[in-house]
C-alpha cells in the first residue's frame, strides 16, 4: 500500500526533514513538492544532502494537482495554512506543521498571533497533533495541527503529572535549551554562525513566547482549571535538539513512577532510570524523546528533564507519526531510525 | 613597581589564563611556573598559544625559591593547597584558585569535599575571594580563596537581592549553562569533542554540586538565617562561559533597580536595561559580568540572568583582581581586556 | 532471511555505528556484542542513544558462542584481529574494520604498523574492502578488510583517474579535513572539546600517516608501477566527515567525465555537476560519497573533492555493505538512510 | 600622546575588532564611529560585548567632523572607499581595510572587482599594508591599503621563499581553511549557524577568489616574472582563524631556515621548530602569525602551514599595526594581546 503525499513549503528545514523521513518510509510516497520562492528548482539545488533521491521538482502551490494526493504536509510559515486548507479537496487529509490550527479558541489565536483567524470553522475541527495523547482523534481526523516543538517537549514531561495531580500547578518553571534549527532557514543576523557559535542566551523571556498559548490551552484543559507555566527558551550552539529542564514541586519518586507508567507502552518516549539526565545528543536525528527525573536536596522539589530532536519528534517526525495514523498505517512506520551519535 | 608572582599548577586552563592576563599586566611579573607532571617542559610545549612569551620553564613546586616571590597563584587540583600554603614563607601572599579555602566551616568542608581539612587554622584566616563583596578584607589578607565559577556567577545575580530582602529566600531556582572548560584539562571520556559537540545535558543534579557549599555559606550569612537554593548546571558546547538563569519570586522592577544601584560603580559588573538578556558570547575572554532582569506574565516572578567567562572573571581574572588589591595595585590593572567577539 | 552477526569492540564509535545501521537493517540481527573493558554493562549504559533497542549485554569476546553466528564485525583496536580471526570457526565470515588485514604485503604491514604480522597466511586471503572496486572478490570472501576512512575517501576520488591514466601520477596532493570521531573514543588530551572546538590543525604530516600504506598498495597496483601521493590530514571541529581536496594535473573536464561514467551505476557514489563542490554536511549520517570536480585558472590543473561520513561510508557503512555482499543480500540493504541535515 | 581616530563602517566585525584593539591601546582614541544603516544607535546596541566602553554614538559618515581626526580606519564594503578618501582633508591619514586600494594596476582592479577604479590617481599612492614587508613605505604613507586576510596568511608563508628563490614558482598550491567571520556580518543563507556548524566545504574554487589579484601582484613583483598560485579556500566551523597549507617544491630544511631567519626579529611572526604544525586555536584573538614547516616522504616537497586570526592580524590588527607606524608610535602598541585559549 502506497499513499501519495505532497509537501508544501519543502524548502525549509521541516520540509527537508519530511523528505528525509518519507524517503525510507515503506508506505509513503512524495508526489509533489512546493516552495513558492524556489519554484522551478530541483530539491538537490536547495538541499544537496537529498541529491541521491528521485524527487519531483519544486513547484508553486497552485501548480499541484491535489486529486491524486492522499495527504498534504503543510510546512508553511505561520498564517498561510488557514486559507490553503479551505481550498483543498475535502478528500485530502492535512497535517499542518505550522501554528495555524494549534489553538482551538479564536480569541487565544488572535492574542498570541496578532491577527484574527480566517478559518474559524475549520479551526474547530482540527485535532491537536500530540500523538501520544490524541491518538484516537487523530486516527479519524482530516486536519491535524502539529504542535510547537517546545510545546511537545514540555508536554511530554508534564502531562501525566498534571493529569494525576502530582505537582503544584502554580509553580511550574520550564527552562529550555534550544538548537538553532528551531529558527528555521530564514535570514536573521542573530542566526549567523558567527553570532551563535560561542554564545548562549535567552530569548522571548517573560512569557512572550507563542508556544505559551499551547501550554495554556492544553494544561488548563487537563487540569480543569487555568494553569500558567513560566517558560524560558535559550539558544545554545547545536543545530538540532531541545532540552527542557522542568522545575516542579512534588514527590520526585512518585513523578518518576507516573511517567514510567504513562509511557510504558509508548514506542518513542523513554523514561530513564531515576536520577539519570538525558542529553540532546542521544536523540539527534530520531523520533525519540528521553525523559529523566531527579529529586533535590530540598525536599518536595523535583526536576524533570525531557529532550527530543526539534526537527524530527518536535515537528516532522511527529507529522509522519500522525500521518501514519490518519492513513491507517502502523504508527511507527518509517520512524524507527536510530539517533546519530556522535 | 613590579611584583613577582609564581603560578602553581600552570599546565591547567586556569594556569594558562593567569599567564595570559599577567603577560599584559603593567605591574605583575611571572617569576616561576610549576606543573608537577610536566616539569622540565617549556610552557610553549604545553600551551602553544603562549609561544611568543618569555616564560620560566615549568618546574616541580619544590624547586621554586619562594624568597623573591610576592604572591603565589595556586591553580592546583582540589585538596593540594592546604598543606602547601602552610609551608610557604609567611611573607608570601596567596591567591588560591582551588576549593580548599572557600568554606570557613570545617564540617561544611568535610561534607562537600569528603575529607577533613588539614589546615583548619589557616582555613579560618582565608578571605572569600568574591572581590566586589569582600574588597576591604581582601586588601589586607594574606590568603584569599578564589570562588567557584558557578558560585561567582550566581552570587553576582543574587547577593544584592538577598541583602535587601527583595526575593523569597525559599524559592530560588538557578539553572546554569556551562562551558566545557569548567571541567579543566583532565582526561574524561565525557569531555571529548565527539561527546560534547552536539549535546546539552545536565549534571550534578539534585543538589550534589560542591558549589552548593559556597551558596549555603554565603547566602545564609547574608540573610541571617539558613538559605538553600536549587541549583542545576548543564553542559553546553561552548569552551568558555557560564549563563545562570535565576528564577525568583519578587518584583522584577525593584530587583532591576537594586542590581543597577548595587553595581553602579563596579567596573566589571554591568546591569543591562530592563528586559534585556545577556549572552555568554558577549563576555568571552574578559573579566566582565553582564546581568539582565526580566519580569514574567505571572505576576511576582522575576528572571535574573548573569553571565561571565568561567576561566576569567570566574577564576583567573578574579584571582588577578584580588592579587591587585592584596599588592596595593589598582583593582582593574591588567583586567580591562575587551571581550572577543565573534 | 535473517543473518546473525556479532560485533566485537562494540563500545567504540564504529561499534555503535554498526548497531545503528543493523537496527533498521531488514536481514541482519545482532546476536552478540563484546567489549572487554565494559563487559557486563548494557549497551544503553555505554551509548544512551541506543536505549530503545533490545540488545544483548556486552560480554568478553571469549564468552561468545560463535556457532550460531554467520558473520563477525571486528571493530577492535589495530593489532587485535590477527589472532582472533585465526581462532574463529571457519564457517564464520569476518568483516574486520581495523587495519590488520588491509595490507597484503607482510613487509608493508611491518613498515607501517611497527610489528610483524602474526597471521600472514590469513593476510593473503583477505579481500580489500573497498566495495565498489572489489565487489566480486568480496562476494566470495570469508575475510574482508575494511579500508581506512581516509583511504576510502581519496580512492573514490582517484581510482578511475589512475586506472584511465588521466592524471600525472607523480604529482598528486591530497589535503584532508577530518572530523574528530576519526580518533575514536579513546582518551587523549588533544581530543578534548576544549582543545578541538575552535581549532584547525594538521597532523601526521610529511608522509607519516598509516593510510599511506593503503594508498601505495592500491594505487601502485592500479597503475602498474610505484605511485606515491602526498597526503596531509587536518583536524576540523566537526564530529563526522572527511573532505579530501585532491590537487591533480590533468584535464578537469576529462576527469569529471571519467568519474561521472565510473560511478554512473553506483548507488552510493554521486558525482556533482562540473564546478560544484561537495560539503561534509551533506553526507552526515549516511553511506553516500559526494565528489566534485573543478578546473583552475592554471591550465592543466584539476581539483577533485570527495566527501563522506568517516563512521558510516568510511567504516561501519562500508562494513555492512560488504557484509551484505558476503551474505548474499542486496548490497544496499539497510544503507539507504538519508543524510541528516542540518 | 593621543591620536584621534575615526572608524567608518563600525557595525561590521572588523569595525568591532578595531574598537576592541583601540580600547586598550595606550595612544589611540576613538573620536567618531560611523555606520550608515545603524546611525543613531549606540555601539552597545549593535555589539553588546562593547557595552562597558564609553564610545561615541554611531553616525552617518557625512556627520563626522574630520578636522580633529588624525587617522581614519575605513572598514567599508568594497567599492565605497574610493570616493570617500578623495573627499577627506589631506591631513587625515587613512588605513583602508577594504579592497579598494590593494591592487596598484587599474586593469587588474577592474579584472578582479568588475568595475573601473574611480580614484586611479590615489590608487597609485596607496601603500600595500603588509606591514612586515612594506614597513618603511607605510611609515610615510598617507593611505595604506590593508591586505586581504587570505592574502596576508599566504604571503607570510611564501614571500621569503619566493624572494630567495627556494621554491618552484610554477608549482605552488595553497589550500586554506577559513573561519566564518571572514564572510562578515551580512545576511547570507549559507552563513547561518545551521548551514555551517557541521559542514566543511570549498568555495571560490578554480581561481575565482579576488585575493588572487593580490597574490599575482605581489608574488610577480617579488619574483621579477609572472607567478600564479593555485589557491582554494574552504569554510570550516570556527568563527576566527585561517590556516593555509602551502604545498611547495623545494628543500624543507632550507625553507625552514629561510623563514626562521626572515622573521627572527619580527614581534608577531613566529616560526615553529621544524616538523611542528600550527593551529588556528593558538592565535585566536591575537595579532600573531604562526608558521610551521614539514618535509614529506617524497623528496623535494615541503609543506608550509601558516595561521593567523583573520579579524585581527588578517585585518584590524594589521590596520592598527600600520596606523602605529603612520602615526609615529611603536609598532606593537596595543597589539601584544595574548591569544585566547581554550
Amino acid at each position: 500500500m502506497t499513499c501519495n503525499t505532497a509537501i508544501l513549503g519543502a524548502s525549509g528545514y521541516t520540509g527537508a526533514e519530511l523528505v528525509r523521513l518519507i524517503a525510507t518510509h515503506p508506505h509513503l510516497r512524495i508526489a509533489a513538492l512546493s516552495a513558492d520562492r524556489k519554484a522551478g528548482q530541483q530539491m538537490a539545488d536547495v538541499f544537496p544532502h537529498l541529491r541521491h533521491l528521485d524527487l519531483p521538482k519544486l513547484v508553486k502551490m497552485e501548480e499541484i494537482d491535489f486529486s491524486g494526493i492522499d495527504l498534504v504536509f503543510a510546512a508553511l510559515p505561520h498564517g498561510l495554512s488557514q486559507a490553503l486548507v479551505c481550498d483543498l479537496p475535502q478528500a485530502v487529509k492535512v497535517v499542518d506543521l505550522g501554528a495555524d490550527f494549534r489553538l482551538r479558541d479564536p480569541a487565544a489565536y488572535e492574542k498570541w498571533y496578532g491577527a484574527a483567524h480566517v478559518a474559524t470553522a475549520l479551526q474547530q475541527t482540527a485535532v491537536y497533533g500530540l500523538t501520544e495523547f490524541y491518538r484516537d482523534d487523530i486516527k479519524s481526523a482530516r486536519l491535524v495541527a502539529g504542535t510547537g516543538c517546545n510545546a511537545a517537549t514540555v508536554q511530554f514531561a508534564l502531562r501525566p503529572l498534571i493529569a494525576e495531580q502530582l505537582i503544584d500547578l502554580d509553580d511550574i518553571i520550564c527552562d529550555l535549551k534550544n538548537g538553532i534549527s528551531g529558527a528555521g532557514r530564514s535570514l536573521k543576523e542573530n542566526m549567523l554562525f558567527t553570532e551563535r557559535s560561542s554564545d548562549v542566551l535567552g530569548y522571548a523571556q517573560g512569557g512572550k513566547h507563542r508556544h505559551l498559548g499551547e501550554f495554556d490551552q492544553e494544561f488548563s484543559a487537563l487540569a480543569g482549571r487555568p494553569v500558567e507555566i513560566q517558560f524560558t527558551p535559550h539558544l545554545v550552539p547545536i543545530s538540532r535538539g531541545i532540552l527542557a529542564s522542568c522545575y516542579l514541586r512534588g514527590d520526585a519518586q512518585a513523578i518518576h513512577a507516573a511517567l514510567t507508567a504513562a509511557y510504558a507502552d509508548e514506542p518513542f518516549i523513554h523514561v530513564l532510570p531515576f536520577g539519570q539526565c538525558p542529553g540532546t545528543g542521544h536523540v539527534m536525528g530520531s523520533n525519540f524523546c528521553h525523559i529523566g527525573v531527579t529529586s533535590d536536596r530540598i525536599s518536595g522539589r523535583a526536576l524533570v528533564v525531557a529532550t527530543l530532536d526539534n526537527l524530527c519528534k518536535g515537528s516532522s517526525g511527529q507529522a509522519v507519526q500522525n500521518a501514519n495514523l490518519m492513513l491507517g498505517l502502523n504508527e511507527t512506520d518509517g520512524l524507527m531510525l536510530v539517533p546519530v551519535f556522535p
Side-chain angles (χ1 to χ4, degrees), chain A:
Chain A
M1 174 183 167
T2 297
C3 302
N4 282 326
T5 68
I7 300 173
L8 311 183
S11 64
Y13 291 143
T14 55
E17 183 75 351
L18 284 167
V19 173
R20 180 174 81 93
L21 296 171
I22 297 174
T24 53
H25 191 291
H27 300 299
L28 297 187
R29 182 179 159 268
I30 297 172
L33 294 168
S34 85
D36 273 18
R37 276 178 308 165
K38 306 210 169 170
Q41 295 189 42
Q42 295 291 345
M43 199 63 171
D45 299 327
V46 180
F47 287 114
H49 72 291
L50 302 175
R51 176 178 302 281
H52 67 288
L53 296 172
D54 184 21
L55 294 168
K57 189 177 285 200
L58 290 166
V59 298
K60 289 184 180 294
M61 216 183 297
E62 52 268 30
E63 298 176 57
I64 299 178
D65 172 8
F66 288 99
S67 64
I69 304 290
D70 298 294
L71 185 141
V72 162
F73 293 103
L76 301 166
H78 300 325
L80 297 190
S81 293
Q82 299 171 28
L84 167 83
V85 180
C86 297
D87 291 344
L88 289 178
Q90 192 59 29
V92 177
K93 296 174 193 289
V94 180
V95 177
D96 185 20
L97 287 77
D100 284 17
F101 296 101
R102 291 172 187 167
L103 302 184
R104 283 181 290 273
D105 177 4
Y109 181 86
E110 186 162 355
K111 172 185 169 191
W112 289 105
Y113 292 92
H117 205 285
V118 301
T120 47
L122 206 58
Q123 188 185 13
Q124 301 312 312
T125 72
V127 176
Y128 189 66
L130 199 68
T131 329
E132 283 74 5
F133 296 94
Y134 286 88
R135 195 169 267 134
D136 288 337
D137 292 339
I138 291 167
K139 282 179 185 166
S140 58
R142 185 212 162 203
L143 169 60
V144 169
T147 73
C149 52
N150 296 301
T153 316
V154 171
Q155 287 184 69
F156 288 133
L158 300 187
R159 287 188 75 111
L161 313 180
I162 294 174
E164 299 185 30
Q165 305 181 25
L166 289 171
I167 56 173
D168 182 345
L169 296 178
D170 296 317
D171 201 0
I172 300 174
I173 294 174
C174 300
D175 183 290
L176 274 71
K177 294 83 181 166
N178 297 64
I180 309 302
S181 63
R185 210 183 199 184
S186 55
L187 293 182
K188 296 176 193 155
E189 184 179 280
N190 65 334
M191 295 301 155
L192 293 172
F193 178 87
T194 36
E195 303 283 321
R196 293 267 56 78
S197 67
S198 297
D199 197 28
V200 174
L201 94 169
Y203 69 100
Q205 296 182 313
K208 292 191 281 288
H209 198 289
R210 288 169 165 181
H211 290 180
L212 283 167
E214 291 176 67
F215 293 130
D216 291 356
Q217 167 180 289
E218 295 299 312
F219 292 152
S220 299
L222 205 54
R225 56 148 258 197
V227 175
E228 289 197 329
I229 70 168
Q230 188 171 356
F231 161 74
T232 308
H234 297 76
L235 294 171
V236 293
I238 57 174
S239 269
R240 289 171 177 243
I242 294 177
L243 187 103
S245 306
C246 304
Y247 295 90
L248 308 172
R249 291 185 180 267
D251 180 74
Q253 292 282 3
I255 284 171
H256 184 258
L259 289 168
T260 303
Y263 297 122
D265 296 326
E266 288 296 342
F268 297 118
I269 318 290
H270 290 269
V271 180
L272 280 60
F274 187 82
Q276 289 187 14
C277 181
T280 61
H282 299 142
V283 294
M284 216 278 285
S286 84
N287 204 49
F288 297 104
C289 173
H290 287 184
I291 302 177
V293 181
T294 49
S295 57
D296 195 76
R297 58 172 188 159
I298 303 175
S299 140
R301 303 254 186 122
L303 174 58
V304 178
V305 180
T307 191
L308 52 72
D309 180 328
N310 56 301
L311 288 182
C312 194
K313 183 58 173 163
S315 187
S316 301
Q318 181 200 71
V320 171
Q321 194 177 345
N322 288 332
N324 283 343
L325 292 177
M326 295 163 79
L327 295 166
L329 305 171
N330 289 321
E331 186 176 331
T332 61
D333 278 352
L335 291 173
M336 295 307 289
L337 298 172
V338 181
V340 177
F341 176 88

